[in-house]
Amino acid sequence: MITELYQTRNLPDSKLAALLETDQFDRELFRLADLRRKEFYGTDVYLRGLIELTNYCKNDCFYCGIRRSRANLDRYRLALEQVLHCCETGYGLGYRTFVLQGGEDTFFNAGRITEFVTEIRKRYQDCAITLSLGEHSRENYQRFFDAGANRYLLRHETANEEHYGKLHPRSMSLTCRKQCLWNLKEIGYQTGSGFMVGSPFQTTSCVIEDLRFLQALQPAMIGIGPFIAHRDTPFKREQNGGLALTLRLVAVLRLMFPYALIPATTALGTIDPQGREMGLRAGANVVMPNLSPVNVRRKYELYDNKICMGEEAAECKACLAARVSAAGYQIVTGIGNVTPDKRQAG
Ligand code: SAM
């Protein structure tokens, strides 16, 4: 079965379900995922410097620690100078991708986002600028792109309509989320999507729908991580997503999307101290060290016990570099684009 997935990059639903629901196939799954990753990317692991721009959010997602209704959170926004300082530090450490991530903050309207992108682009011609700032109109995505943004991360969170409705308030819609992703792709962004593993009410069939949606979208980047409960959200008593299923899914993604850039996420490192190393061995090829100013890190608390809260940028990079090499891979400073030849290879 795993050989079929390796060779055809696909499996019927029934086989995917069998693969995801037991540990019976894990050894062969991880072996072939690592082989495929090495065929496409060798042992290279790309760095993305994460800058957490704002923890204000107009949305009220039931799982998220920076949701609008959370009253006891000290809110912050980074100023342009602070962001540029983060980029300068990151550039010095060898980063060639800056990821601006944040809540959907109305203060950061299209004009302000465009200004930030323009200023970063002016200073760093040789870097990728990735945005992860939620849902915007097609026109606004186009403005950010024209100002110099190259990539956009927007997890679809779940591709199942009913499940989406259990994770989000009525004001949000899966149709709109998906449309944003299609718009981003059409504009020419290297687009990233993904979902939480083990989010409340998720079933195997939801996960298979997620994989089918990704097959239709063919994103350049795919980010998955376990759901982790946050104490001040409606999901505070829900169970966290599991390590085993997350790793299995990383491997399945590598076999279905050999060309993709797949991070070993912070959430994976939060549910297990060795989570990111295991993620890399299962097929992940990106790490995202935190470049945000240390004094705001604790405020961007999406879930309980989030790691990397106190480290300076250089420490964060050194820690991740050591983890990557302990796992048997090495960090490279290349920009790490998905090129058309990578998509067509094999
Ligand atoms: N507002 C932007 C958006 O909607 O894409 C970016 C910020 S949002 C906080 C980034 C990601 O955090 C989400 O896509 C979600 O998958 C993840 N996230 C939020 N709460 C989480 C939780 N409790 N456990 C795991 N991941 C979580």
Side-chain angles (χ1 to χ4, degrees):
M1 184 155 74
I2 313 295
T3 311
E4 182 183 344
L5 179 57
Y6 175 80
Q7 283 169 351
T8 66
R9 303 179 188 184
N10 203 2
L11 279 182
D13 288 3
S14 56
K15 289 187 179 172
L16 274 175
L19 181 57
L20 293 174
E21 284 175 350
T22 67
D23 60 7
Q24 197 186 331
F25 308 101
D26 282 0
R27 185 189 278 262
E28 189 60 356
L29 176 66
F30 295 136
R31 188 182 76 78
L32 285 183
D34 191 48
L35 180 66
R36 185 82 328 158
R37 163 259 178 62
K38 284 181 176 145
E39 286 164 3
F40 275 68
Y41 285 101
T43 51
D44 291 353
V45 173
Y46 294 96
L47 282 171
R48 296 355 186 163
L50 182 65
I51 303 171
E52 293 156 338
L53 185 65
T54 171
N55 70 353
Y56 283 86
C57 193
K58 68 177 166 73
N59 293 330
D60 226 6
C61 310
F62 302 147
Y63 46 83
C64 185
I66 63 168
R67 67 199 297 266
R68 182 186 65 216
S69 294
R70 193 175 158 209
N72 62 349
L73 175 65
D74 189 9
R75 305 278 172 171
Y76 75 91
R77 297 181 173 108
L78 297 185
L80 178 59
E81 294 65 40
Q82 288 177 291
V83 170
L84 292 175
H85 182 71
C86 294
C87 294
E88 195 182 331
T89 307
Y91 196 88
L93 290 169
Y95 297 10
R96 294 297 175 267
T97 295
F98 304 120
V99 183
L100 294 189
Q101 192 187 82
E104 283 187 34
D105 180 355
T106 47
F107 173 85
F108 281 104
N109 57 21
R112 286 213 172 83
I113 296 175
T114 306
E115 180 197 356
F116 276 50
V117 172
T118 307
E119 293 303 321
I120 299 171
R121 175 55 66 223
K122 244 193 253 168
R123 290 165 179 77
Y124 302 99
Q125 306 282 325
D126 58 336
C127 293
I129 302 175
T130 305
L131 299 179
S132 178
L133 298 169
E135 297 173 23
H136 291 269
S137 66
R138 195 187 191 288
E139 296 69 46
N140 288 344
Y141 283 148
Q142 185 71 56
R143 276 180 76 179
F144 313 151
F145 187 79
D146 294 341
N150 326 79
R151 304 186 185 140
Y152 207 103
L153 302 177
L154 186 79
R155 289 182 178 181
H156 63 276
E157 312 295 1
T158 171
N160 178 278
E161 199 79 58
E162 199 185 321
H163 187 214
Y164 192 92
K166 291 182 176 169
L167 302 181
H168 302 95
R170 274 162 185 256
S171 54
M172 299 177 74
S173 92
L174 178 59
T175 310
C176 179
R177 194 94 181 158
K178 285 182 173 172
Q179 189 56 54
C180 285
L181 284 160
W182 292 115
N183 290 345
L184 289 161
K185 252 203 114 173
E186 214 173 84
I187 290 168
Y189 282 96
Q190 292 171 54
T191 304
S193 195
F195 56 95
M196 284 177 294
V197 178
S199 58
F201 314 107
Q202 186 182 62
T203 61
T204 303
S205 113
C206 293
V207 173
I208 293 172
E209 275 187 72
D210 288 323
L211 296 173
R212 298 298 177 218
F213 173 66
L214 292 170
Q215 283 179 318
L217 185 70
Q218 293 286 308
M221 295 95 69
I222 306 173
I224 62 163
F227 158 76
I228 304 174
H230 187 287
R231 65 194 173 283
D232 291 323
T233 63
F235 287 164
K236 61 185 168 201
R237 291 199 183 83
E238 299 291 340
Q239 223 187 336
N240 290 344
L243 176 69
L245 181 60
T246 310
L247 294 174
R248 227 170 264 154
L249 274 162
V250 168
V252 169
L253 289 173
R254 173 57 61 210
L255 291 171
M256 280 187 158
F257 308 94
Y259 63 83
L261 289 154
I262 302 175
T265 55
T266 308
L268 196 46
T270 299
I271 55 161
D272 190 293
Q274 290 289 305
R276 285 169 297 178
E277 288 86 332
M278 290 188 266
L280 292 166
R281 288 197 209 99
N285 61 342
V286 169
V287 288
M288 299 178 75
N290 202 320
L291 267 181
S292 308
V294 174
N295 67 326
V296 304
R297 299 266 184 99
R298 276 178 202 291
K299 300 176 189 171
Y300 200 82
E301 192 193 34
L302 305 178
Y303 42 79
D304 285 347
N305 304 316
K306 188 175 164 223
I307 54 170
C308 311
M309 293 286 220
E311 294 167 349
E312 292 290 345
E315 281 174 81
C316 206
K317 186 196 158 184
C319 161
L320 270 170
R323 287 174 186 277
V324 168
S325 84
Y329 308 95
Q330 88 275 340
I331 277 183
V332 292
T333 50
I335 194 164
N337 286 326
V338 172
T339 49
D341 62 308
K342 273 258 190 292
R343 275 191 189 269
Q344 279 148 25

